[in-house]
Amino acid sequence: MSADTDTDADAREQLIDLAEEFYEQFEGGDVPTMRIPTRTKSNIEYDEDKNVWVYGDRESTRTAKTISGAEKLLKATYTIDFLARQLDQDRSSTLRELYYLSESWDVDEAQFSSQDESNNLIEDLEIVSEVKREDFHMRPEESGAKVMGPLLLREQTNRGDREIHCQDDVGQGGYQIPNNPDTIEFLDNDAEFVLCVETGGMRDRLVENGFDDEHDALVVHLGGQPARATRRLTKRLHDELDLPVTVFTDGDPWSYRIFGSVSYGSIKSAHLSEYLATPEAQFIGVQPEDIVEYDLPTDPLSDSDVNALESELEDPRFQSDYWTEQIELQLDIGKKSEQQSLASYGLDFVTDTYLPERLDEMGVL
Amino acid sequence: MSADTDTDADAREQLIDLAEEFYEQFEGGDVPTMRIPTRTKSNIEYDEDKNVWVYGDRESTRTAKTISGAEKLLKATYTIDFLARQLDQDRSSTLRELYYLSESWDVDEAQFSSQDESNNLIEDLEIVSEVKREDFHMRPEESGAKVMGPLLLREQTNRGDREIHCQDDVGQGGYQIPNNPDTIEFLDNDAEFVLCVETGGMRDRLVENGFDDEHDALVVHLGGQPARATRRLTKRLHDELDLPVTVFTDGDPWSYRIFGSVSYGSIKSAHLSEYLATPEAQFIGVQPEDIVEYDLPTDPLSDSDVNALESELEDPRFQSDYWTEQIELQLDIGKKSEQQSLASYGLDFVTDTYLPERLDEMGVL
């Protein structure tokens, strides 16, 4: 799975440095501590230079002064040891495997008592070491997302390199994004833009209607809240191939969060925004404005929809005139629409009318 | 998307026949009716010849004698009309699109009031016409499942044929199963057996460890409750390539249902058992017996787990000595284990020890 042995060696070193710090604190007669940025909504702020949301200045401290603090640092050292060996051997594992693996560790206090605990520790290590989980060789559980469009790539698999064209060499299902998309090299493309699509049904509609072919679009299926691998690939398509990125979702507050995680990153992984977020991504819709303008079939907003919209009005990631206007309009009309509701005008309306109109308005087509 | 224009013509004819029946009933002065098998657990029975669970004799009748019955038949005729035109034009659509499309129909009473209503109607039409949904060109929403192993296939896509080897021509993510796997033709293979795997994490572990390569296994990722496409492909791998099919899931009642849907079909789709179910499929585990024998990390059974196990003891699909023994053992120990819990013995235990031992016991390896 290793894309780059230099990256592996760097990651290993960063981890060992962390452990060394504990060692030096002990040696100097100090109680070991680890400082971590506070991970709450009130502690994320906009980085003007990098154009993404990152953690603010607030930090919390793990210290071995308390039993529970000491146990946390013990678990951290055992995990660092496991990760360093994993990198040495060029293996990889999942968060879930790490949780179970800890049962084989010789000190009971180092074992994780829940999956949340091991997940959080890995996130802490990512933040403190400034090394991405993928570079520790911690694979995400699965992505399931896929790409269809005029793109030739080379993927480094653990059985050798594979050259794949994401239209000519794949079935109707498209090219399956691997867990670590940094194993991919882009060789050639005829693409004009990237179109990220929330639902499988809409992705299949676009592929059946040949939208990727007709408009030279790279159709990336998000599959609901996008996995890290999908967000990373999208960012690389933007940065390396200089392609505009557009996001097409349902018209409800949960889908706006999907757009938000593609474009601004998420609160849980603000430390990875630079790696995962595509701040230049543009929202196609379904916009509340579209619900009105195209007179789409709707469902009424539920109480939890209304709460989610109100919380988005407060969310720093949605502080723009555009989003304020759209969200207030939606609260006003009290309705939401799915992307597939466009089918109420026929199966080709989305590819013949809606998307070309929207992409033209947005200056993409 | 059409695999076979003969199939399309047949499907179209079956649908038209149904509509014709209503017409004849009208013409003969009778109130139109449609008879449908009752779809409940008490009305599925074992078909000794075909070795799968099918509907029993109980039927319910839709009749135009009541307003709601008449509306149902009206919706059926509009849907038949839509499907017949879709087949004519060699198009396809999803259940969700059908629901929204109905908004464009000229008679308000023919429009669906909920997605459940249109879903159920399509299932009714499948049962009564004996044509599979895929042959109506109603695509499932998405599958996301994938295959890795020594298999060369040809997929007929709507942009031409694609020849794909499921190890040499795919990335680490494998070959993406299309929504209609009957577009696939098997060209060549070196496979010894099929290994269906519930979770993405375990699928990735097997692929990373090269299990498919070392044991000539076709690793099929189920991704939880398997989609129709995945079950259909699994059945075809068994029937056409004469390969033993094994299923590897978590050790809990919900996962036994996943095995059950691969091997015996599901209650909701008992009319499709012959097309989707692989009665010869064998369960690898995690068995309750393995939890004890390998001393795996466990979680306690929740109340809903216990209820699900007790309901499985009553389920005709689990009426065998093997399942009775395993389920009673699990109720007795009060514990469940995930497939990834095998990682408590190290990352290679599952591929070096557990699977070879189990497959040897089962006579597969």
Side-chain angles (χ1 to χ4, degrees):
Chain A
M1 288 285 276
S2 161
D4 182 346
T5 39
D6 284 351
T7 314
D8 291 358
D10 285 352
R12 198 171 171 280
E13 202 169 315
Q14 294 285 74
L15 285 167
I16 303 278
D17 282 354
L18 260 183
E20 209 166 76
E21 219 171 286
F22 297 149
Y23 186 86
E24 281 164 7
Q25 288 169 333
F26 270 120
E27 211 177 36
D30 296 325
V31 176
T33 56
M34 186 161 94
R35 297 184 66 80
I36 303 161
T38 309
R39 284 189 271 157
T40 57
K41 197 155 77 178
S42 58
N43 194 38
I44 62 172
E45 40 187 59
Y46 199 66
D47 182 322
E48 302 275 351
D49 294 336
K50 292 167 185 159
N51 242 13
V52 288
W53 296 95
V54 296
Y55 290 120
D57 292 332
R58 261 179 287 156
E59 288 190 328
S60 59
T61 304
R62 298 275 156 76
T63 158
K65 267 187 195 145
T66 66
I67 294 183
S68 90
E71 282 184 359
K72 276 195 173 135
L73 295 184
L74 182 71
K75 287 169 204 216
T77 54
Y78 267 83
T79 303
I80 288 170
D81 180 54
F82 163 71
L83 293 173
R85 274 185 293 123
Q86 165 162 293
L87 287 166
D88 247 3
Q89 296 164 9
D90 196 16
R91 300 293 305 270
S92 68
S93 55
T94 62
L95 289 172
R96 194 122 197 95
E97 286 176 322
L98 170 65
Y99 164 63
Y100 283 120
L101 261 173
S102 78
E103 301 229 359
S104 65
W105 294 346
D106 54 2
V107 175
D108 282 358
E109 286 78 7
Q111 297 175 9
F112 296 111
S113 53
S114 74
Q115 169 96 48
D116 277 350
E117 197 184 6
S118 50
N119 290 357
N120 282 330
L121 176 63
I122 289 291
E123 279 180 14
D124 290 348
L125 289 179
E126 275 189 301
I127 296 168
V128 178
S129 70
E130 295 183 344
V131 174
K132 304 180 302 282
R133 189 191 307 176
E134 286 79 0
D135 292 334
F136 295 153
H137 291 198
M138 292 300 294
R139 283 186 271 109
E141 291 288 312
E142 69 181 288
S143 117
K146 46 210 186 184
V147 178
M148 183 72 101
L151 170 68
L152 177 69
L153 54 80
R154 181 187 295 132
E155 182 189 328
Q156 200 177 348
T157 78
N158 64 359
R159 310 152 187 229
D161 289 0
R162 301 280 184 267
E163 273 193 26
I164 297 170
H165 187 279
C166 300
Q167 280 170 333
D168 302 339
D169 300 331
V170 297
Q172 197 83 7
Y175 168 69
Q176 177 75 37
I177 302 174
N179 290 318
N180 182 1
D182 285 352
T183 56
I184 295 174
E185 187 184 342
F186 303 132
L187 299 179
D188 196 16
N189 80 90
D190 296 312
E192 294 293 327
F193 66 105
V194 176
L195 178 65
C196 300
V197 183
E198 176 179 355
T199 66
M202 182 52 78
R203 179 261 173 212
D204 292 344
R205 165 62 44 220
L206 299 185
V207 169
E208 180 181 322
N209 290 9
F211 186 83
D212 54 312
D213 211 29
E214 192 176 335
H215 294 287
D216 294 326
L218 295 180
V219 174
V220 175
H221 172 215
L222 298 175
Q225 191 66 36
R228 288 165 63 120
T230 315
R231 287 184 281 154
R232 173 63 181 160
L233 185 74
T234 302
K235 182 184 181 54
R236 288 192 55 208
L237 290 170
H238 175 271
D239 290 2
E240 296 172 34
L241 304 183
D242 205 22
L243 297 174
V245 168
T246 61
V247 181
F248 181 26
T249 70
D250 289 339
D252 65 46
W254 318 100
S255 295
Y256 308 152
R257 288 186 189 178
I258 290 175
F259 167 71
S261 86
V262 171
S263 73
Y264 312 111
S266 65
I267 293 170
K268 247 178 81 89
S269 60
H271 57 296
L272 292 164
S273 291
E274 270 180 89
Y275 170 75
L276 295 177
T278 310
E280 301 82 0
Q282 292 175 269
F283 185 65
I284 295 179
V286 175
Q287 313 174 100
E289 199 181 316
D290 300 333
I291 299 176
V292 179
E293 202 167 311
Y294 293 95
D295 191 21
L296 297 176
T298 57
D299 284 311
L301 294 178
S302 68
D303 288 349
S304 69
D305 291 335
V306 171
N307 289 339
L309 285 170
E310 280 167 353
S311 131
E312 279 164 8
L313 282 177
E314 305 293 310
D315 188 325
R317 297 176 300 168
F318 290 99
Q319 297 304 320
S320 67
D321 289 347
Y322 172 76
W323 278 110
T324 308
E325 201 176 297
Q326 294 297 329
I327 292 171
E328 282 177 353
L329 172 62
Q330 185 150 34
L331 285 167
D332 194 45
I333 60 177
K335 290 171 182 167
K336 59 186 177 185
S337 290
E338 296 184 343
Q339 22 182 214
Q340 300 216 44
S341 70
L342 292 158
S344 63
Y345 294 105
L347 296 177
D348 299 330
F349 181 76
V350 62
T351 46
D352 288 355
T353 307
Y354 177 77
L355 284 177
E357 281 183 7
R358 282 290 296 136
L359 291 164
D360 180 53
E361 271 170 40
M362 294 157 67
V364 175
L365 273 192
Chain B
M1 288 284 278
S2 161
D4 184 343
T5 39
D6 284 351
T7 313
D8 290 358
D10 285 353
R12 198 172 171 281
E13 200 168 318
Q14 294 286 75
L15 284 168
I16 303 279
D17 282 354
L18 259 182
E20 208 165 78
E21 218 171 288
F22 297 147
Y23 185 88
E24 282 164 8
Q25 288 169 335
F26 270 121
E27 211 177 37
D30 296 325
V31 176
T33 56
M34 185 161 94
R35 298 184 66 78
I36 303 161
T38 309
R39 283 188 273 158
T40 58
K41 197 156 76 178
S42 59
N43 194 37
I44 63 171
E45 40 187 56
Y46 200 67
D47 182 321
E48 303 275 353
D49 295 336
K50 293 168 183 158
N51 241 13
V52 287
W53 296 96
V54 296
Y55 289 120
D57 292 333
R58 260 180 290 156
E59 289 189 328
S60 59
T61 304
R62 299 273 157 77
T63 156
K65 266 187 195 145
T66 65
I67 293 182
S68 91
E71 281 183 358
K72 276 193 176 140
L73 295 184
L74 182 70
K75 287 169 204 216
T77 53
Y78 267 84
T79 304
I80 288 169
D81 179 54
F82 164 70
L83 292 173
R85 273 185 293 123
Q86 165 162 293
L87 287 165
D88 248 1
Q89 296 165 8
D90 196 15
R91 300 294 304 269
S92 69
S93 56
T94 63
L95 290 173
R96 195 125 198 91
E97 286 176 324
L98 169 64
Y99 165 62
Y100 283 119
L101 262 173
S102 77
E103 301 230 359
S104 66
W105 293 346
D106 54 2
V107 175
D108 282 357
E109 287 77 6
Q111 297 175 8
F112 297 110
S113 54
S114 74
Q115 169 96 49
D116 278 351
E117 196 184 8
S118 49
N119 290 357
N120 283 330
L121 175 63
I122 289 291
E123 280 180 13
D124 290 348
L125 289 180
E126 275 187 300
I127 295 169
V128 177
S129 69
E130 295 183 345
V131 174
K132 304 180 303 283
R133 191 190 307 176
E134 285 80 359
D135 293 335
F136 295 154
H137 291 198
M138 291 301 292
R139 285 186 270 109
E141 290 288 313
E142 69 182 290
S143 120
K146 46 211 185 183
V147 177
M148 182 74 102
L151 170 68
L152 177 69
L153 55 79
R154 181 187 296 133
E155 182 189 328
Q156 201 178 344
T157 78
N158 65 359
R159 307 152 190 229
D161 289 1
R162 301 280 184 266
E163 274 194 25
I164 297 171
H165 187 281
C166 299
Q167 280 170 332
D168 302 341
D169 300 330
V170 297
Q172 197 82 10
Y175 167 70
Q176 177 76 37
I177 302 174
N179 291 319
N180 182 2
D182 285 351
T183 56
I184 295 174
E185 186 185 344
F186 303 131
L187 298 180
D188 196 14
N189 80 93
D190 296 311
E192 293 293 328
F193 66 104
V194 176
L195 178 64
C196 300
V197 183
E198 177 180 353
T199 65
M202 181 54 79
R203 180 259 172 213
D204 291 344
R205 164 64 45 220
L206 299 184
V207 168
E208 181 181 322
N209 290 9
F211 186 84
D212 55 311
D213 210 29
E214 192 175 336
H215 295 285
D216 294 326
L218 295 181
V219 175
V220 175
H221 174 218
L222 298 176
Q225 191 66 38
R228 288 164 64 120
T230 316
R231 289 185 279 153
R232 173 63 181 161
L233 185 74
T234 302
K235 181 183 182 56
R236 288 191 55 207
L237 289 171
H238 174 271
D239 290 1
E240 294 171 36
L241 304 182
D242 205 22
L243 297 174
V245 168
T246 62
V247 181
F248 181 26
T249 69
D250 289 338
D252 66 47
W254 317 101
S255 294
Y256 308 152
R257 289 188 189 176
I258 289 175
F259 167 70
S261 86
V262 171
S263 73
Y264 311 111
S266 65
I267 293 172
K268 249 178 78 89
S269 60
H271 57 296
L272 292 165
S273 291
E274 270 181 88
Y275 170 75
L276 296 177
T278 311
E280 301 82 1
Q282 293 176 271
F283 185 64
I284 295 180
V286 173
Q287 314 174 99
E289 199 180 318
D290 299 333
I291 299 176
V292 178
E293 202 168 308
Y294 293 95
D295 191 20
L296 297 177
T298 58
D299 284 310
L301 293 179
S302 68
D303 289 348
S304 70
D305 291 334
V306 170
N307 289 340
L309 285 169
E310 280 167 353
S311 129
E312 279 164 9
L313 282 176
E314 305 294 311
D315 188 325
R317 297 175 301 166
F318 289 99
Q319 298 302 323
S320 69
D321 290 348
Y322 171 77
W323 277 110
T324 307
E325 201 176 296
Q326 295 296 329
I327 292 171
E328 282 176 352
L329 172 62
Q330 184 150 33
L331 286 167
D332 195 45
I333 60 176
K335 289 169 182 170
K336 60 184 176 185
S337 290
E338 296 185 344
Q339 25 182 210
Q340 300 217 41
S341 71
L342 292 157
S344 63
Y345 295 106
L347 296 177
D348 298 330
F349 181 76
V350 63
T351 45
D352 287 356
T353 307
Y354 176 78
L355 284 177
E357 280 182 11
R358 283 290 297 135
L359 291 164
D360 180 52
E361 271 169 41
M362 293 158 66
V364 175
L365 272 192

